[in-house]
Amino acid sequence: MQHTKSKMEKSALVFIIVLAGTFWATADNTTETAATSKSSISETTTFESTTSETTTNGRITPTATPGLKSTGSWAPTRPSRAAKKEEDKQKGKLEMGCPPLGLESLRVDDTQIQASSFQRFGLGPHRGRLNVQSGIEDGDLYDGAWCADYKDQHQWLEVDGRHLTRFTGVILQGRNTIWRRDWVTSYKVQLSNDSISWKGSMNGTLEAIFEGNADGESPVLALLPVPMVARYIRINPQSWYPDGDICLRAEILGCRLDEPKQSFSSAQGAEPKDNLDFRHHNYQEMRKLMKSVTEECPDITRIYTIGKSYMGLKLYVMEISDNPGKHELGEPEFRYVANMHGNEVLGRELVLNLMQYLCREYKRGNQRVVRLVTETRIHLLPSMNPDGYEVAYNKGSELAGWGEGRYTFEGIDLNHNFPDLNTILWDAQEAAEDPSKVPNHYVPIPEYYTKEDAMVASETRAVISWMQDIPFVLSANLHGGEMVVTYPYDGTENWAPQANTPTPDNSFFRWLATVYASTNRALANPERRLCHHDDFQVYNNIINGGAWHHVPGSMNDFSYLHTNCFEVTVELSCDKYPHASELPGEWENNKESLLLYMEQVHRGLKGVVRDKESKKGIEDAVIRVEDHEHDIRSAADGDYWRLLNPGDYKIVAWAEGYFPAVRHCRVGMEPRATICDFTLTQTPVKRLKEIRAKGGKIPQDLQLRLRALRLRKLRASTKAINQRREGQRMQREQARKARSSSSSSTL
Ligand SMILES: [Zn+2]
């Protein structure tokens, strides 16, 4: 339905808008009940003050409307030259204005979105959500936008705010597709209280025309010249890419009026009980927060760095343990890694929340947390890709789009950057006469990978070093953009695009994934809608990585094949970069899962492998579980951890120069590892004695030697790269200083 154009004088307009605001805020007595009567006065006040802020001498200030064009012209115009400045300005305004209604986060459900027409179900109004991703092929049920069935100016996408809402802006994006060019280049916005009579968003005396998209992916923000109070809002395309269709994805910015403090509560009906620092932290702020945690809890925390990003930002780790800085015999080590993809930011904030929470609850004497901290050495890496994060952060939660900031500064996808040990192992097994004789664990890094010119990111190098330095037992890798927990392998055999590729520890990995997925309030919600096009609820929200899609060189697979550490990937939310107002709710959604998952490090068997004579622990002893084609090794002090589901197991332990020892050990249902120690007797090997007599080293097996050698090479090349980069950085810095001093002298 079209509105009539206003013919009012400019001077009268503001007054009318204020009146209209009053009317619109109070007139809806059919669907809004008690909420309106009492609060409408203050709401009107809010409205008036907002209005007066954006006006000068009765005239709407043009600078207050980025993305706004003068009426009459439908030709698309590009953003101003000072793009970066404009970006910052937009972001600033976005943060100060109202939060997203939740088209992207799915807080707005399908029934709240209507359209004038649509081409087919897969392009229906429910697909008109910011950052929604299309299925593998166009033309299925899950296409990448809402697309109108007609190409005229009477098409609209309508969102029902369900409550009186102060609408402040619209974010528009084109269609997600690699085959077509479908986007809207300009549009109008109309508002209504009953979805029957509509009023246009005005710019002076004329209906405002907003600048839309110039490509399919970049989100473009437009603020309404004057915020308007209503229940329904319509996006009404006026022009579009010449050969394309009218297609769009959108987010609406609005504050619900009957719930004044809504922005920091009840995002998903979850009330935050913990008073944590719920906001997005850039590099500086993250450092500050981590420092404040160590000041609050000096006895159980320690910050250390494992390396640097390409741009020289440090990869900080927070250690939480009753004896920070030190491995304790028998105490398992755990890690969370977040923000590997720089624009997947929820994990980063959850990990920062977690360190604050553990510190405070430990001090408060929360028995569960005290036990966890006392019995576990916890390592938290909130950001594996701080360079990428800064790129996404500078755009902000709604304007970063889907891809910006994912990669490292060099353009490397870190989750494809680990060496593909799967293929090395499978090839060796295939070539072997007896595949069971091929070492099934601690697979060394291939030679090419250790070279200086190998395409291996600084961030990956840092993490590999870290993985070998600490005897991690369990880990999770926190991502975003979907809602599912995936378990290894991520890489498929023969690089099939999709194939269920289980590890020998499949049942325990499924348990681990289930622990997280079934206790996460958002994931486990049976009412939840699928994020984009994959329905993981039919698999109880867990899936084998390879069965989802082939990822060669993933961190999970590397962790499992190169070290003792089991790792799963958690895709935390549909939205990669949730608005800050979602963070308290997301903490509540994830808190129990984060804690319970860490507690799984205490399952299965653990023990110490000792020399019978000296009683000393034996490093690198092999622990083999019968019928499990994946061995693990003991750590430096001879202690080991073997994650297993409940059951009876036959375990064999041996080490170079020792006779194997066999024990039968039972893993119970309770979340407490069964102690299964071994004492090994040395073999009377003459050669060994000879070597000993000469004061030489005990020979390690070839695989171990190779593994240690390659890591040394990798570290050497990393060091060379870092020195070169540091030199270049200093040169640049000197050049910059020279330039600035010469330019200042000419001034
Ligand atoms: Zn990711």
Side-chain angles (χ1 to χ4, degrees):
M1 184 168 288
Q2 290 297 95
H3 55 276
T4 51
K5 267 190 181 162
S6 167
K7 294 188 178 75
M8 310 266 171
E9 289 295 319
K10 279 179 189 172
S11 54
L13 182 80
V14 172
F15 180 64
I16 296 296
I17 290 172
V18 173
L19 279 183
T22 313
F23 168 74
W24 292 57
T26 53
D28 190 346
N29 49 18
T30 50
T31 46
E32 296 298 322
T33 51
T36 46
S37 57
K38 237 184 145 183
S39 54
S40 60
I41 296 163
S42 62
E43 281 147 20
T44 312
T45 315
T46 314
F47 188 86
E48 277 179 289
S49 65
T50 316
T51 310
S52 59
E53 265 169 32
T54 52
T55 59
T56 317
N57 304 326
R59 223 170 154 261
I60 292 164
T61 318
T63 52
T65 58
L68 187 73
K69 293 192 304 173
S70 56
T71 316
S73 153
W74 292 340
T77 55
R78 294 301 307 124
S80 73
R81 297 287 82 81
K84 172 70 183 139
K85 241 183 169 173
E86 182 62 20
E87 199 177 274
D88 290 350
K89 210 167 78 190
Q90 292 212 6
K91 196 191 161 205
K93 283 192 188 302
L94 182 60
E95 279 167 1
M96 283 163 63
C98 286
L101 230 49
L103 273 77
E104 183 180 18
S105 71
L106 303 181
R107 223 171 339 123
V108 170
D109 69 41
D110 288 357
T111 62
Q112 289 173 262
I113 313 175
Q114 310 283 327
S116 51
S117 67
F118 54 94
Q119 291 178 8
R120 52 190 163 70
F121 183 76
L123 292 164
H126 64 291
R127 302 299 291 173
R129 301 168 178 275
L130 184 70
N131 284 326
V132 87
Q133 301 294 298
S134 67
I136 291 168
E137 285 164 33
D138 282 4
D140 61 10
L141 290 177
Y142 306 106
D143 240 323
W146 160 65
C147 290
D149 201 19
Y150 308 100
K151 290 206 239 181
D152 59 40
Q153 292 174 351
H154 304 291
Q155 305 305 313
W156 44 259
L157 182 80
E158 177 181 315
V159 178
D160 177 0
R162 285 214 175 129
H163 304 269
L164 278 185
T165 305
R166 186 161 56 94
F167 290 108
T168 59
V170 171
I171 295 168
L172 207 73
Q173 193 178 34
R175 176 174 170 182
N176 175 238
T177 168
I178 52 168
W179 308 110
R180 299 180 52 90
R181 296 164 75 78
D182 295 330
W183 57 80
V184 168
T185 51
S186 73
Y187 63 99
K188 295 179 178 176
V189 170
Q190 290 109 31
L191 300 111
S192 170
N193 273 351
D194 54 11
S195 85
I196 295 169
S197 65
W198 292 87
K199 183 162 178 52
S201 166
M202 306 298 288
N203 184 28
T205 55
L206 297 168
E207 191 168 12
I209 297 204
F210 300 93
E211 185 177 315
N213 300 110
D215 62 56
E217 286 302 324
S218 315
V220 174
L221 165 71
L223 295 178
L224 305 188
V226 180
M228 290 182 77
V229 174
R231 172 171 164 175
Y232 301 89
I233 185 167
R234 270 184 184 177
I235 297 168
N236 172 214
Q238 295 296 303
S239 62
W240 43 92
Y241 181 75
D243 295 326
D245 292 335
I246 298 182
C247 298
L248 62 87
R249 291 176 284 168
E251 183 59 88
I252 306 288
L253 306 180
C255 301
R256 193 175 144 178
L257 286 191
D258 55 358
E259 195 188 35
K261 289 214 164 77
Q262 65 93 227
S263 60
F264 282 96
S265 68
S266 76
Q268 318 243 333
E271 294 293 333
K273 292 172 201 79
D274 307 306
N275 181 24
L276 308 175
D277 193 13
F278 295 122
R279 64 197 168 96
H280 291 292
H281 296 78
N282 67 12
Y283 182 68
Q284 304 294 344
E285 291 159 347
M286 176 179 80
R287 257 178 19 170
K288 213 188 269 176
L289 176 83
M290 290 175 79
K291 193 158 172 279
S292 78
V293 172
T294 56
E295 282 162 3
E296 211 173 318
C297 292
D299 297 342
I300 57 160
T301 60
R302 177 179 75 108
I303 299 174
Y304 64 96
T305 63
I306 57 168
K308 281 181 180 177
S309 71
Y310 181 87
M311 292 300 281
L313 300 183
K314 287 180 180 161
L315 305 179
Y316 288 109
V317 176
M318 172 70 76
E319 181 192 335
I320 302 183
S321 150
D322 58 342
N323 276 300
K326 170 158 128 216
H327 174 77
E328 290 176 85
L329 187 76
E331 192 170 295
E333 312 238 4
F334 179 93
R335 71 168 185 260
Y336 274 129
V337 175
N339 200 210
M340 173 189 227
H341 291 141
N343 61 339
E344 295 168 19
V345 307
L346 180 56
R348 172 176 171 132
E349 295 307 322
L350 289 176
V351 164
L352 292 174
N353 292 156
L354 181 65
M355 51 183 85
Q356 276 189 300
Y357 176 83
L358 291 175
C359 160
R360 288 184 192 171
E361 293 301 304
Y362 183 87
K363 272 172 53 173
R364 232 165 51 87
N366 175 331
Q367 278 313 296
R368 183 184 187 185
V369 170
V370 169
R371 204 168 85 189
L372 191 64
V373 171
T374 312
E375 297 177 356
T376 324
R377 192 172 173 214
I378 301 163
H379 304 259
L380 307 172
L381 173 61
S383 184
M384 181 174 168
N385 182 3
D387 293 350
Y389 178 85
E390 293 299 306
V391 172
Y393 180 85
N394 288 332
K395 289 265 172 161
S397 63
E398 314 319 311
L399 300 178
W402 193 247
E404 274 197 86
R406 175 188 178 92
Y407 305 103
T408 65
F409 186 84
E410 298 165 281
I412 294 173
D413 186 327
L414 291 175
N415 207 27
H416 292 63
N417 197 228
F418 287 79
D420 175 8
L421 304 183
N422 308 39
T423 304
I424 292 173
L425 176 66
W426 293 329
D427 285 353
Q429 283 173 340
E430 209 172 279
E433 254 171 56
D434 181 357
S436 70
K437 291 265 161 43
V438 174
N440 57 24
H441 68 289
Y442 270 37
V443 180
I445 297 166
E447 172 81 37
Y448 77 87
Y449 198 87
T450 63
K451 302 261 162 58
E452 265 185 63
D453 58 357
M455 268 302 271
V456 181
S458 340
E459 296 84 354
T460 313
R461 291 167 178 272
V463 167
I464 290 177
S465 253
W466 184 41
M467 283 175 164
Q468 277 210 30
D469 278 343
I470 293 171
F472 290 113
V473 179
L474 180 63
S475 166
N477 177 7
L478 306 180
H479 286 244
E482 250 305 341
M483 288 177 71
V484 66
V485 184
T486 79
Y487 52 90
Y489 293 119
D490 293 326
T492 60
E493 281 189 72
N494 303 317
W495 291 44
Q498 252 179 343
N500 186 41
T501 315
T503 65
D505 285 292
N506 198 44
S507 67
F508 195 77
F509 272 119
R510 286 180 59 82
W511 164 258
L512 287 172
T514 300
V515 163
Y516 203 100
S518 63
T519 56
N520 179 287
R521 286 166 47 155
L523 268 166
N525 175 7
E527 307 283 293
R528 85 171 177 90
R529 190 183 170 283
L530 51 86
C531 287
H532 300 288
H533 47 85
D534 287 312
D535 185 0
F536 295 113
Q537 280 174 294
V538 297
Y539 312 113
N540 292 317
N541 303 305
I542 68 167
I543 191 169
N544 169 266
W548 184 18
H549 56 239
H550 167 60
V551 179
S554 82
M555 186 160 72
N556 290 4
D557 287 3
F558 178 80
S559 179
Y560 181 69
L561 288 176
H562 189 71
T563 76
N564 294 323
C565 185
F566 287 31
E567 182 172 88
V568 305
T569 289
V570 184
E571 299 281 352
L572 290 161
S573 63
C574 303
D575 184 351
K576 289 182 176 178
Y577 196 147
H579 188 265
S581 60
E582 306 275 349
L583 295 176
E586 288 296 358
W587 167 250
E588 284 302 318
N589 288 339
N590 285 281
K591 179 166 88 173
E592 174 60 24
S593 331
L594 287 167
L595 292 172
L596 195 61
Y597 187 80
M598 286 195 282
E599 289 166 346
Q600 303 313 308
V601 77
H602 297 285
R603 286 206 176 265
L605 301 173
K606 72 172 188 178
V608 183
V609 185
R610 289 192 170 87
D611 181 297
K612 197 178 176 200
E613 296 294 313
S614 68
K615 304 284 186 262
K616 273 184 157 167
I618 302 168
E619 185 178 7
D620 287 323
V622 176
I623 313 298
R624 170 163 293 176
V625 182
E626 196 180 55
D627 300 327
H628 276 62
E629 291 302 313
H630 182 80
D631 306 337
I632 57 113
R633 300 253 183 176
S634 59
D637 302 328
D639 43 356
Y640 80 90
W641 302 263
R642 186 39 167 114
L643 297 172
L644 287 165
N645 277 327
D648 293 305
Y649 297 95
K650 182 179 166 192
I651 316 292
V652 185
W654 81 88
E656 195 77 21
Y658 291 90
F659 287 116
V662 181
R663 283 197 62 184
H664 291 267
C665 293
R666 166 172 291 181
V667 175
M669 301 293 286
E670 66 282 359
R672 187 151 292 279
T674 302
I675 306 289
C676 190
D677 292 331
F678 288 89
T679 322
L680 301 188
T681 311
Q682 287 193 25
T683 53
V685 178
K686 215 170 137 206
R687 186 167 148 265
L688 193 65
K689 283 184 180 163
E690 283 168 3
I691 291 167
R692 283 237 167 113
K694 288 182 201 153
K697 275 188 176 172
I698 300 169
Q700 289 182 319
D701 66 50
L702 178 70
Q703 190 193 358
L704 264 188
R705 273 205 310 256
L706 205 57
R707 186 172 174 271
L709 177 76
R710 295 272 165 82
L711 181 68
R712 271 208 302 280
K713 280 190 171 180
L714 184 80
R715 282 177 175 166
S717 68
T718 306
K719 201 172 159 190
I721 291 169
N722 284 347
Q723 279 169 351
R724 198 170 59 225
R725 222 171 265 161
E726 194 56 40
Q728 285 165 350
R729 201 174 292 138
M730 278 163 70
Q731 273 177 5
R732 274 200 305 273
E733 186 62 20
Q734 276 166 2
R736 197 186 59 77
K737 273 186 189 150
R739 262 203 313 279
S740 69
S741 67
S742 71
S743 67
S744 63
S745 62
T746 56
L747 278 173

